[in-house]
Amino acid sequence: MKNTSNTPPNAITTPDYWEDAWAHTDVPDAIDPRKDAPGNHYYQIMHALFTRALAAHCAPGARLIEIGCGGSRWLPYFYRAFGYEISGIDYTVAGVRLSQAILDKAGVSGRIVQGDLFDPPPDWIGRFDVVVSFGLVEHFENTSQVVSACARYLRPGGRMITLVPTMRGLYGLAYRLLRPAVYRKHIPHSRETLVQSHTDAGLNITHCDYVLGLPGMISAPASPGLPGRMAFAASCLYWKLERSGWGIPPNRWTSPYALCFATKSGETQT
Ligand SMILES: C[S@@+](CC[C@H](N)C(=O)[O-])C[C@H]1O[C@@H](n2cnc3c(N)ncnc32)[C@H](O)[C@@H]1O
């Protein structure tokens, strides 16, 4: 097991911060976009985007790794939806344990390793067809540096998927007012900053855009109690509108997330 007591370069969170978060999280279900519920709207949108980006390029059996996979509900999803061989790395004990518990609950096998993303197991360098991260790179002041570190895991021609909360516009304002301590743990991002950091890391962008018209997810499991439930009900109402084509198109002012797909130069395969 690696020593994770040091904070990696440019990080604005510490291992202790995440250990504490994961130690107090119950084992959730894996993401399943087939469930037809308003609260699943975000996952259905992401599933459509992933299908477009991956299905034609990476066949079942392709190797996928999630970097910063602590508590990940996504890994079982990639196994079930695309038949990928799944792995994950996270530097927290509690995060790794929770990811493993989520895999076990879903009856899915995968390899989860505890370690610092900047110090990969040597045989993981250049090994993966797909590298994904959800809510990782915005916790570092130098985004290009962490994106470059993630790209080391990719084989030439492999695909990188990066999702960040924007922490700008309406979403950033909501966090600044309601959860200022959490807000301070994020570097705000836009489509442009995400494109720039991936380009600086030597990757070729294939798609980069905002996701969702309004930041409804802020009120999902994160805000318990009556106000949280009321906000979640309002979100569900909005998602119903969005699913019927009456939503706000994703944009820099009100969207909660930005998503980037990129490839690493080199020969393609699978
Ligand atoms: C916002 S969480 C992401 C959670 C997960 N990917 C998901 O979508 O549910 C960020 C994760 O990155 C991990 N992390 C941060 N810095 C890291 C590093 N240098 N090496 C490995 N993991 C790291 C944290 O432990 C935490 O679990």
Side-chain angles (χ1 to χ4, degrees), residues 8 13 18 22 66-74 89-92 115-118 134-136 139-140:
T13 57
W18 295 110
W22 296 133
E66 180 177 352
I67 316 272
C69 70
S72 175
R73 300 174 59 214
W74 284 108
I89 185 168
D90 198 282
Y91 64 5
T92 58
D116 181 359
L117 75 90
F118 293 95
F134 299 95
L136 171 75
H139 298 297
F140 296 82

Side-chain angles (χ1 to χ4, degrees), residues 82-236:
F82 299 101
Y84 294 163
E85 182 188 303
I86 51 168
S87 302
I89 185 168
D90 198 282
Y91 64 5
T92 58
V93 177
V96 164
R97 204 174 282 152
L98 187 58
S99 300
Q100 189 59 57
I102 295 168
L103 287 184
D104 294 345
K105 189 174 179 185
V108 166
S109 62
R111 184 159 175 230
I112 310 286
V113 161
Q114 190 209 345
D116 181 359
L117 75 90
F118 293 95
D119 185 17
D123 62 328
W124 278 15
I125 296 173
R127 175 183 167 84
F128 293 93
D129 303 292
V130 187
V131 169
V132 299
S133 70
F134 299 95
L136 171 75
V137 305
E138 73 280 8
H139 298 297
F140 296 82
E141 270 165 21
N142 187 330
T143 316
S144 307
Q145 190 183 39
V146 64
V147 172
S148 293
C150 293
R152 291 179 72 205
Y153 294 73
L154 267 184
R155 67 162 172 80
R159 313 244 143 190
M160 169 99 96
I161 300 177
T162 310
L163 179 95
V164 294
T166 58
M167 289 295 171
R168 288 181 188 241
L170 192 60
Y171 193 59
L173 181 66
Y175 260 92
R176 231 188 265 202
L177 295 175
L178 302 173
R179 307 184 73 193
V182 176
Y183 176 81
R184 285 194 293 273
K185 299 291 181 198
H186 294 76
I187 300 292
H189 275 283
S190 63
R191 183 167 55 191
E192 289 71 25
T193 60
L194 216 48
V195 165
Q196 190 63 55
S197 54
H198 285 69
T199 307
D200 290 348
L203 298 167
N204 307 309
I205 312 295
T206 55
H207 168 98
C208 190
D209 210 345
Y210 297 101
V211 182
L212 291 178
L214 276 182
M217 293 295 285
I218 194 172
S219 58
S223 307
L226 186 62
R229 284 206 300 278
M230 284 170 63
F232 186 60
S235 300
C236 288

